[in-house]
Coordinates of all heavy atoms in Angstrom, one line a residue:
M15 N -35.1 -62.9 -3.5 CA -34.9 -61.5 -3.2 C -33.4 -61.1 -3.0 O -32.7 -61.9 -2.3 CB -35.7 -61.2 -1.9 CG -35.6 -59.7 -1.4 SD -36.4 -59.4 0.2 CE -38.0 -58.9 -0.4
R16 N -33.0 -60.1 -3.5 CA -31.6 -59.7 -3.4 C -31.3 -59.1 -2.0 O -32.2 -58.5 -1.4 CB -31.2 -58.6 -4.5 CG -31.4 -59.1 -5.9 CD -31.2 -58.0 -6.9 NE -32.0 -56.9 -6.5 CZ -31.8 -55.6 -6.8 NH1 -30.7 -55.3 -7.5 NH2 -32.5 -54.6 -6.4
W17 N -30.1 -59.1 -1.5 CA -29.8 -58.6 -0.2 C -30.1 -57.1 -0.1 O -30.5 -56.6 0.9 CB -28.4 -59.0 0.3 CG -27.2 -58.4 -0.5 CD1 -26.6 -59.0 -1.5 CD2 -26.7 -57.1 -0.3 NE1 -25.6 -58.1 -1.9 CE2 -25.6 -57.0 -1.2 CE3 -26.9 -56.0 0.6 CZ2 -24.8 -55.8 -1.3 CZ3 -26.1 -54.9 0.5 CH2 -25.1 -54.8 -0.4
V18 N -29.8 -56.4 -1.2 CA -30.0 -54.9 -1.2 C -31.5 -54.6 -1.0 O -31.8 -53.5 -0.5 CB -29.5 -54.2 -2.5 CG1 -28.0 -54.3 -2.5 CG2 -30.1 -54.8 -3.7
D19 N -32.4 -55.5 -1.3 CA -33.8 -55.2 -1.1 C -34.2 -55.2 0.3 O -35.3 -54.8 0.7 CB -34.6 -56.2 -1.9 CG -34.4 -56.0 -3.4 OD1 -34.2 -54.9 -3.9 OD2 -34.5 -57.0 -4.1
R20 N -33.3 -55.8 1.2 CA -33.6 -55.8 2.6 C -32.7 -54.9 3.4 O -32.7 -54.9 4.6 CB -33.4 -57.3 3.1 CG -34.3 -58.3 2.5 CD -34.3 -59.6 3.1 NE -33.0 -60.3 3.1 CZ -32.4 -60.8 4.1 NH1 -33.0 -60.8 5.3 NH2 -31.3 -61.4 4.0
A21 N -32.0 -54.0 2.7 CA -31.1 -53.0 3.4 C -31.9 -52.0 4.2 O -32.9 -51.5 3.8 CB -30.3 -52.3 2.3
A22 N -31.4 -51.8 5.4 CA -32.0 -50.9 6.4 C -31.8 -49.4 6.0 O -32.4 -48.5 6.5 CB -31.4 -51.1 7.8
C23 N -30.9 -49.2 5.0 CA -30.5 -47.8 4.6 C -31.3 -47.3 3.4 O -31.0 -46.2 3.0 CB -29.0 -47.7 4.3 SG -28.5 -48.9 3.1
Q24 N -32.2 -48.1 2.9 CA -33.0 -47.6 1.8 C -33.6 -46.3 2.0 O -34.3 -46.0 3.0 CB -34.1 -48.7 1.4 CG -33.5 -50.0 0.9 CD -34.6 -51.0 0.5 OE1 -35.5 -50.7 -0.1 NE2 -34.4 -52.2 1.0
G25 N -33.4 -45.4 1.0 CA -33.9 -44.0 1.1 C -33.1 -43.1 2.0 O -33.5 -41.9 2.2
Q26 N -32.0 -43.5 2.5 CA -31.2 -42.7 3.4 C -29.8 -42.5 2.9 O -28.8 -42.4 3.6 CB -31.2 -43.3 4.8 CG -32.6 -43.5 5.4 CD -32.5 -44.0 6.8 OE1 -32.2 -43.2 7.7 NE2 -32.8 -45.3 7.0
E27 N -29.6 -42.5 1.6 CA -28.3 -42.4 0.9 C -27.5 -41.2 1.4 O -26.3 -41.3 1.5 CB -28.5 -42.4 -0.6 CG -28.9 -43.7 -1.2 CD -30.4 -43.9 -1.1 OE1 -31.1 -43.0 -0.7 OE2 -30.9 -45.0 -1.4
A28 N -28.1 -40.1 1.7 CA -27.4 -38.9 2.1 C -26.6 -39.1 3.4 O -25.6 -38.5 3.6 CB -28.4 -37.7 2.2
L29 N -27.1 -40.0 4.2 CA -26.4 -40.3 5.5 C -25.1 -41.2 5.2 O -24.1 -41.1 5.9 CB -27.3 -41.1 6.4 CG -28.2 -40.4 7.4 CD1 -28.9 -41.4 8.3 CD2 -27.4 -39.4 8.3
F30 N -25.2 -41.9 4.2 CA -24.1 -42.9 3.9 C -23.0 -42.4 2.9 O -21.9 -42.9 2.9 CB -24.7 -44.2 3.4 CG -25.5 -45.0 4.4 CD1 -26.8 -44.6 4.8 CD2 -24.9 -46.0 5.1 CE1 -27.4 -45.2 5.8 CE2 -25.6 -46.7 6.1 CZ -26.8 -46.3 6.5
F31 N -23.4 -41.4 2.2 CA -22.4 -40.9 1.2 C -22.4 -39.3 1.3 O -23.2 -38.6 0.8 CB -22.9 -41.3 -0.2 CG -22.9 -42.7 -0.4 CD1 -24.1 -43.4 -0.3 CD2 -21.8 -43.5 -0.7 CE1 -24.2 -44.8 -0.5 CE2 -21.9 -44.8 -0.9 CZ -23.1 -45.5 -0.8
G32 N -21.3 -38.9 2.0 CA -21.2 -37.4 2.2 C -20.4 -36.8 1.0 O -19.8 -37.4 0.2
A33 N -20.5 -35.4 1.0 CA -19.7 -34.7 0.0 C -18.2 -34.8 0.3 O -17.8 -35.0 1.4 CB -20.1 -33.2 0.0
E34 N -17.4 -34.7 -0.7 CA -16.0 -34.8 -0.6 C -15.4 -33.8 0.4 O -14.4 -34.1 1.1 CB -15.3 -34.7 -1.9 CG -14.0 -35.5 -1.9 CD -13.7 -36.0 -3.3 OE1 -14.4 -36.9 -3.8 OE2 -12.7 -35.5 -3.9
N35 N -15.9 -32.6 0.3 CA -15.3 -31.5 1.2 C -16.1 -31.3 2.4 O -16.1 -30.2 3.0 CB -15.3 -30.2 0.4 CG -16.7 -29.8 -0.2 OD1 -17.6 -30.5 -0.1 ND2 -16.8 -28.6 -0.7
E36 N -16.9 -32.3 2.9 CA -17.7 -32.2 4.1 C -16.8 -31.9 5.3 O -15.8 -32.6 5.5 CB -18.5 -33.5 4.2 CG -19.4 -33.5 5.4 CD -20.1 -34.8 5.5 OE1 -19.6 -35.9 5.1 OE2 -21.3 -34.8 5.9
P37 N -17.2 -30.9 6.1 CA -16.4 -30.6 7.3 C -16.4 -31.7 8.3 O -17.4 -32.5 8.4 CB -17.1 -29.4 7.9 CG -18.1 -29.0 7.0 CD -18.3 -30.0 5.9
R38 N -15.3 -31.9 9.0 CA -15.1 -33.0 9.9 C -16.2 -33.2 10.9 O -16.7 -34.4 11.0 CB -13.7 -32.9 10.6 CG -13.3 -34.1 11.4 CD -13.2 -35.3 10.5 NE -13.0 -36.6 11.3 CZ -11.9 -37.1 11.5 NH1 -10.8 -36.6 11.1 NH2 -11.8 -38.3 12.2
P39 N -16.6 -32.2 11.7 CA -17.6 -32.5 12.7 C -18.9 -33.0 12.1 O -19.6 -33.9 12.6 CB -17.8 -31.1 13.4 CG -16.6 -30.3 13.1 CD -16.1 -30.8 11.7
K40 N -19.3 -32.4 11.0 CA -20.5 -32.8 10.3 C -20.4 -34.2 9.8 O -21.3 -35.0 9.9 CB -20.8 -31.8 9.1 CG -22.2 -32.0 8.5 CD -22.4 -31.0 7.4 CE -23.8 -31.3 6.8 NZ -24.0 -30.5 5.6
R41 N -19.2 -34.5 9.2 CA -19.0 -35.9 8.7 C -19.1 -36.9 9.8 O -19.7 -38.0 9.7 CB -17.7 -36.0 8.0 CG -17.4 -37.4 7.4 CD -16.1 -37.5 6.7 NE -15.0 -37.3 7.6 CZ -13.8 -37.2 7.3 NH1 -13.4 -37.3 6.1 NH2 -12.8 -37.1 8.2
D42 N -18.5 -36.6 10.9 CA -18.5 -37.5 12.1 C -19.9 -37.8 12.6 O -20.2 -39.0 12.9 CB -17.6 -37.0 13.2 CG -16.1 -37.0 12.9 OD1 -15.8 -37.7 11.9 OD2 -15.4 -36.4 13.6
T43 N -20.7 -36.8 12.6 CA -22.1 -36.9 13.1 C -22.9 -37.8 12.1 O -23.6 -38.7 12.5 CB -22.8 -35.5 13.3 OG1 -22.0 -34.8 14.2 CG2 -24.2 -35.7 13.7
R44 N -22.7 -37.5 10.8 CA -23.4 -38.2 9.8 C -23.0 -39.7 9.8 O -23.9 -40.5 9.7 CB -23.1 -37.6 8.4 CG -23.8 -38.3 7.2 CD -23.4 -37.7 5.9 NE -22.0 -37.7 5.7 CZ -21.2 -38.7 5.4 NH1 -21.8 -39.9 5.3 NH2 -19.9 -38.6 5.2
T45 N -21.7 -39.9 9.8 CA -21.3 -41.3 9.7 C -21.7 -42.1 11.0 O -22.0 -43.3 10.9 CB -19.8 -41.5 9.5 OG1 -19.1 -40.8 10.5 CG2 -19.4 -40.9 8.1
A46 N -21.7 -41.5 12.1 CA -22.2 -42.2 13.3 C -23.7 -42.6 13.2 O -24.0 -43.7 13.6 CB -22.0 -41.2 14.6
K47 N -24.5 -41.7 12.6 CA -25.9 -42.1 12.4 C -26.0 -43.2 11.4 O -26.8 -44.2 11.6 CB -26.7 -40.9 11.9 CG -26.9 -39.8 12.9 CD -27.6 -38.6 12.3 CE -27.8 -37.5 13.3 NZ -28.4 -36.3 12.7
A48 N -25.2 -43.2 10.4 CA -25.2 -44.2 9.3 C -24.8 -45.6 10.0 O -25.4 -46.6 9.8 CB -24.3 -43.9 8.2
K49 N -23.7 -45.6 10.7 CA -23.2 -46.8 11.4 C -24.2 -47.4 12.3 O -24.3 -48.6 12.5 CB -21.9 -46.5 12.0 CG -20.8 -46.3 11.1 CD -19.5 -45.9 11.8 CE -18.4 -45.6 10.8 NZ -17.1 -45.2 11.4
A50 N -25.0 -46.5 13.0 CA -26.0 -47.0 13.9 C -27.1 -47.7 13.2 O -27.6 -48.8 13.6 CB -26.6 -45.8 14.7
I51 N -27.4 -47.3 12.0 CA -28.4 -48.0 11.1 C -27.8 -49.3 10.7 O -28.5 -50.3 10.8 CB -28.8 -47.1 9.9 CG1 -29.6 -45.9 10.4 CG2 -29.6 -47.9 8.9 CD1 -29.8 -44.8 9.3
C52 N -26.6 -49.3 10.3 CA -26.0 -50.6 9.9 C -26.0 -51.6 11.0 O -26.2 -52.8 10.7 CB -24.5 -50.3 9.5 SG -24.3 -49.4 8.0
M53 N -25.8 -51.2 12.2 CA -25.8 -52.2 13.3 C -27.1 -53.0 13.5 O -27.1 -54.1 14.0 CB -25.5 -51.5 14.7 CG -24.1 -50.9 14.8 SD -22.8 -52.1 14.4 CE -22.0 -51.4 13.0
L54 N -28.2 -52.4 13.0 CA -29.5 -53.0 13.1 C -29.9 -53.7 11.7 O -31.0 -54.2 11.6 CB -30.6 -52.0 13.5 CG -30.3 -51.3 14.8 CD1 -31.3 -50.2 15.0 CD2 -30.3 -52.3 16.0
C55 N -29.0 -53.6 10.7 CA -29.4 -54.0 9.4 C -29.3 -55.6 9.3 O -28.3 -56.2 9.7 CB -28.4 -53.4 8.4 SG -28.8 -53.9 6.7
P56 N -30.3 -56.2 8.7 CA -30.3 -57.7 8.6 C -29.3 -58.2 7.5 O -29.1 -59.4 7.5 CB -31.7 -58.0 8.2 CG -32.2 -56.8 7.5 CD -31.6 -55.6 8.2
V57 N -28.8 -57.3 6.7 CA -27.9 -57.8 5.6 C -26.5 -57.1 5.8 O -25.8 -57.0 4.8 CB -28.5 -57.5 4.2 CG1 -29.7 -58.4 4.0 CG2 -28.8 -56.0 4.0
R58 N -26.1 -56.8 7.0 CA -24.8 -56.2 7.2 C -23.7 -57.0 6.7 O -22.7 -56.5 6.0 CB -24.7 -55.9 8.7 CG -23.4 -55.2 9.0 CD -23.4 -54.7 10.5 NE -22.0 -54.3 10.8 CZ -21.3 -54.6 11.8 NH1 -21.8 -55.5 12.7 NH2 -20.1 -54.2 12.0
E59 N -23.7 -58.3 7.0 CA -22.6 -59.2 6.5 C -22.5 -59.2 5.0 O -21.4 -59.1 4.5 CB -22.8 -60.6 7.1 CG -21.6 -61.4 7.1 CD -21.9 -62.8 7.8 OE1 -22.3 -62.7 8.9 OE2 -21.6 -63.8 7.1
Q60 N -23.6 -59.4 4.3 CA -23.5 -59.4 2.9 C -23.0 -58.0 2.3 O -22.3 -58.0 1.3 CB -24.9 -59.7 2.3 CG -25.4 -61.1 2.6 CD -26.3 -61.1 3.8 OE1 -26.1 -60.4 4.8 NE2 -27.4 -61.9 3.7
C61 N -23.5 -57.0 2.9 CA -23.1 -55.6 2.5 C -21.6 -55.4 2.6 O -21.0 -54.9 1.7 CB -23.9 -54.6 3.3 SG -23.4 -52.9 3.0
L62 N -21.1 -55.8 3.8 CA -19.7 -55.6 4.0 C -18.9 -56.5 3.1 O -17.9 -56.0 2.5 CB -19.4 -55.9 5.5 CG -17.9 -55.8 5.9 CD1 -17.4 -54.4 5.6 CD2 -17.7 -56.1 7.3
D63 N -19.3 -57.7 2.9 CA -18.6 -58.6 2.0 C -18.6 -58.0 0.6 O -17.5 -58.1 -0.1 CB -19.2 -60.0 2.0 CG -18.5 -61.0 1.2 OD1 -17.3 -61.2 1.5 OD2 -19.0 -61.5 0.2
Y64 N -19.7 -57.5 0.1 CA -19.8 -56.9 -1.2 C -18.8 -55.7 -1.4 O -18.0 -55.6 -2.4 CB -21.2 -56.4 -1.5 CG -21.4 -55.8 -2.8 CD1 -21.6 -56.5 -4.0 CD2 -21.3 -54.4 -3.0 CE1 -21.8 -55.9 -5.2 CE2 -21.4 -53.8 -4.2 CZ -21.7 -54.6 -5.3 OH -21.8 -54.0 -6.6
A65 N -18.7 -54.9 -0.4 CA -17.9 -53.7 -0.4 C -16.4 -54.1 -0.4 O -15.6 -53.5 -1.1 CB -18.2 -52.8 0.8
L66 N -16.1 -55.2 0.4 CA -14.7 -55.6 0.5 C -14.3 -56.3 -0.9 O -13.2 -56.0 -1.4 CB -14.5 -56.6 1.6 CG -14.7 -56.1 3.0 CD1 -14.7 -57.2 4.0 CD2 -13.6 -55.1 3.3
R67 N -15.1 -57.1 -1.4 CA -14.8 -57.8 -2.7 C -14.6 -56.8 -3.8 O -13.9 -57.1 -4.8 CB -15.8 -58.9 -3.0 CG -15.6 -60.1 -2.2 CD -16.5 -61.3 -2.6 NE -17.9 -61.1 -2.3 CZ -18.8 -60.8 -3.2 NH1 -18.5 -60.7 -4.4 NH2 -20.1 -60.6 -2.8
N68 N -15.4 -55.7 -3.8 CA -15.4 -54.8 -4.9 C -14.5 -53.5 -4.6 O -14.5 -52.6 -5.4 CB -16.8 -54.4 -5.3 CG -17.5 -55.6 -5.8 OD1 -17.3 -56.0 -7.0 ND2 -18.4 -56.2 -5.1
T69 N -13.8 -53.5 -3.5 CA -13.0 -52.4 -3.1 C -13.7 -51.0 -3.3 O -13.2 -50.1 -3.9 CB -11.6 -52.4 -3.9 OG1 -11.2 -53.7 -4.1 CG2 -10.6 -51.6 -3.2
I70 N -14.9 -50.9 -2.7 CA -15.6 -49.7 -2.8 C -15.0 -48.7 -1.9 O -14.8 -49.0 -0.7 CB -17.1 -50.0 -2.5 CG1 -17.7 -50.9 -3.5 CG2 -17.9 -48.7 -2.4 CD1 -19.1 -51.4 -3.2
R71 N -14.7 -47.5 -2.4 CA -13.9 -46.5 -1.7 C -14.8 -45.5 -1.0 O -14.4 -44.8 -0.1 CB -12.9 -45.8 -2.6 CG -11.9 -46.7 -3.2 CD -11.0 -46.0 -4.1 NE -10.1 -46.9 -4.8 CZ -8.9 -47.2 -4.2 NH1 -8.5 -46.7 -3.1 NH2 -8.1 -48.1 -4.8
H72 N -16.0 -45.3 -1.4 CA -16.8 -44.2 -1.0 C -18.0 -44.7 -0.1 O -18.6 -45.7 -0.4 CB -17.4 -43.4 -2.2 CG -18.0 -42.1 -1.8 ND1 -17.3 -41.2 -1.1 CD2 -19.2 -41.6 -2.1 CE1 -18.1 -40.1 -1.0 NE2 -19.3 -40.4 -1.5
G73 N -18.2 -44.0 1.0 CA -19.4 -44.3 1.8 C -19.2 -45.3 2.9 O -18.1 -45.9 3.1
I74 N -20.3 -45.4 3.7 CA -20.3 -46.4 4.8 C -21.0 -47.7 4.2 O -22.1 -47.6 3.7 CB -21.1 -45.9 6.0 CG1 -20.5 -44.6 6.5 CG2 -21.2 -46.9 7.1 CD1 -19.2 -44.7 7.1
W75 N -20.3 -48.8 4.4 CA -20.9 -50.1 3.9 C -20.7 -51.1 5.1 O -19.6 -51.2 5.6 CB -20.2 -50.6 2.7 CG -20.5 -49.8 1.4 CD1 -20.0 -48.6 1.2 CD2 -21.3 -50.2 0.3 NE1 -20.5 -48.2 -0.1 CE2 -21.2 -49.2 -0.6 CE3 -22.0 -51.4 0.0 CZ2 -21.9 -49.3 -1.8 CZ3 -22.6 -51.5 -1.2 CH2 -22.6 -50.4 -2.1
G76 N -21.7 -51.8 5.4 CA -21.5 -52.8 6.5 C -21.1 -52.2 7.8 O -20.5 -52.9 8.6
G77 N -21.4 -51.0 8.0 CA -21.1 -50.3 9.3 C -19.6 -49.8 9.4 O -19.2 -49.4 10.4
L78 N -18.9 -49.9 8.2 CA -17.5 -49.4 8.3 C -17.2 -48.4 7.2 O -17.8 -48.4 6.1 CB -16.6 -50.6 8.0 CG -16.7 -51.8 9.0 CD1 -15.7 -52.9 8.6 CD2 -16.4 -51.3 10.4
S79 N -16.3 -47.5 7.5 CA -15.8 -46.5 6.6 C -14.8 -47.2 5.7 O -14.4 -48.3 5.9 CB -15.1 -45.4 7.4 OG -13.9 -45.9 8.0
Y80 N -14.4 -46.5 4.6 CA -13.4 -47.0 3.7 C -12.1 -47.4 4.4 O -11.5 -48.5 4.2 CB -13.1 -46.1 2.6 CG -12.0 -46.6 1.7 CD1 -12.2 -47.7 0.9 CD2 -10.8 -45.9 1.6 CE1 -11.2 -48.2 0.1 CE2 -9.8 -46.4 0.7 CZ -10.0 -47.6 0.0 OH -9.0 -48.1 -0.8
E81 N -11.7 -46.5 5.3 CA -10.4 -46.8 6.1 C -10.6 -48.1 6.9 O -9.6 -48.9 6.9 CB -10.1 -45.6 7.0 CG -9.7 -44.4 6.3 CD -10.9 -43.6 5.7 OE1 -12.0 -43.9 6.2 OE2 -10.7 -42.7 4.8
C82 N -11.7 -48.3 7.6 CA -11.9 -49.5 8.4 C -12.0 -50.7 7.5 O -11.5 -51.8 7.8 CB -13.1 -49.3 9.3 SG -12.9 -48.1 10.5
R83 N -12.7 -50.5 6.3 CA -12.8 -51.7 5.4 C -11.4 -52.1 4.8 O -11.2 -53.3 4.7 CB -13.7 -51.3 4.2 CG -15.2 -51.1 4.7 CD -16.1 -51.2 3.5 NE -15.9 -50.2 2.5 CZ -16.4 -48.9 2.5 NH1 -17.1 -48.5 3.5 NH2 -16.1 -48.1 1.5
T84 N -10.6 -51.1 4.6 CA -9.2 -51.4 4.1 C -8.5 -52.3 5.1 O -7.8 -53.3 4.8 CB -8.4 -50.1 3.8 OG1 -9.2 -49.4 2.8 CG2 -7.0 -50.4 3.3
R85 N -8.5 -51.9 6.4 CA -7.9 -52.7 7.4 C -8.4 -54.1 7.5 O -7.7 -55.1 7.6 CB -8.0 -52.0 8.8 CG -7.1 -50.8 8.9 CD -7.0 -50.3 10.4 NE -8.2 -49.7 10.9 CZ -8.6 -48.5 10.7 NH1 -7.8 -47.6 10.1 NH2 -9.7 -48.1 11.2
K86 N -9.8 -54.2 7.4 CA -10.4 -55.5 7.4 C -10.0 -56.3 6.2 O -9.8 -57.5 6.4 CB -11.9 -55.3 7.5 CG -12.7 -56.6 7.8 CD -14.1 -56.3 8.1 CE -14.8 -57.5 8.6 NZ -14.5 -57.9 9.9
R87 N -9.9 -55.7 5.1 CA -9.5 -56.4 3.9 C -8.1 -57.0 4.0 O -7.8 -58.1 3.6 CB -9.7 -55.5 2.6 CG -9.5 -56.3 1.3 CD -9.8 -55.5 0.1 NE -9.4 -54.1 0.1 CZ -10.1 -53.1 0.3 NH1 -11.4 -53.2 0.4 NH2 -9.7 -51.9 0.3
H88 N -7.2 -56.2 4.6 CA -5.8 -56.6 4.7 C -5.8 -57.8 5.7 O -5.0 -58.7 5.5 CB -5.0 -55.4 5.2 CG -4.7 -54.4 4.2 ND1 -4.3 -53.2 4.4 CD2 -4.9 -54.4 2.8 CE1 -4.2 -52.5 3.3 NE2 -4.6 -53.2 2.3
R89 N -6.6 -57.7 6.8 CA -6.6 -58.8 7.7 C -7.1 -60.1 7.0 O -6.6 -61.2 7.2 CB -7.4 -58.5 8.9 CG -6.8 -57.6 10.0 CD -7.5 -57.6 11.3 NE -8.9 -57.2 11.2 CZ -9.3 -55.9 11.3 NH1 -8.5 -54.9 11.4 NH2 -10.6 -55.7 11.2
R90 N -8.2 -59.9 6.3 CA -8.8 -61.0 5.5 C -7.8 -61.6 4.6 O -7.6 -62.9 4.5 CB -10.0 -60.5 4.8 CG -10.8 -61.6 4.1 CD -11.9 -61.0 3.3 NE -13.2 -61.0 3.9 CZ -14.3 -60.8 3.3 NH1 -14.4 -60.5 2.0 NH2 -15.5 -60.8 4.0
N91 N -7.0 -60.8 3.8 CA -6.1 -61.3 2.9 C -4.9 -62.0 3.6 O -4.4 -63.0 3.1 CB -5.5 -60.1 2.0 CG -6.6 -59.6 1.1 OD1 -7.6 -60.2 0.9 ND2 -6.4 -58.4 0.6
R92 N -4.5 -61.5 4.7 CA -3.4 -62.1 5.5 C -3.9 -63.5 6.0 O -3.1 -64.5 5.9 CB -2.9 -61.3 6.6 CG -2.0 -60.2 6.3 CD -1.2 -59.6 7.5 NE -2.1 -59.0 8.4 CZ -2.6 -57.8 8.5 NH1 -2.1 -56.9 7.5 NH2 -3.4 -57.3 9.4
G93 N -5.1 -63.6 6.4 CA -5.7 -64.8 6.9 C -5.7 -65.8 5.8 O -5.4 -67.0 5.9
A94 N -6.1 -65.4 4.6 CA -6.2 -66.3 3.4 C -4.9 -66.8 3.0 O -4.7 -67.9 2.6 CB -6.9 -65.6 2.3
A95 N -3.9 -65.9 3.1 CA -2.5 -66.3 2.7 C -1.9 -67.3 3.7 O -1.1 -68.2 3.3 CB -1.6 -65.0 2.6
A96 N -2.3 -67.2 4.9 CA -1.7 -68.1 6.0 C -2.4 -69.4 5.9 O -1.8 -70.4 6.4 CB -1.9 -67.5 7.3
A97 N -3.6 -69.5 5.3 CA -4.3 -70.8 5.3 C -3.8 -71.8 4.3 O -3.1 -71.5 3.4 CB -5.8 -70.5 5.0
Ligands
SF4_12 S1 -25.1 -52.7 6.4 FE1 -25.5 -50.5 6.4 S2 -24.9 -49.8 4.4 FE2 -25.1 -52.0 4.3 S3 -27.2 -52.4 3.5 FE3 -27.2 -52.4 5.8 S4 -27.7 -50.3 6.4 FE4 -27.1 -50.2 4.3

């Protein structure tokens, strides 16, 4: 079974991928709901790793926005370079 088949967000794509011109208060509410689902997801680690490895720019993955994933990817890369 693939990890996506166990995703807690199945059927809730609208919560995870907003419109580009979505107003800020609405986006904040939507992403907070999405992140809450991620916190209970059994494949959060796999999901986040997939998004980081593929530099996915849109949506909430593994409980993180693109901006948060970028910071995490930079920390991961710095850690790999130091090892
Ligand atoms: S971590 Fe979040 S975005 Fe990833 S599969 Fe789970 S619910 Fe979906």
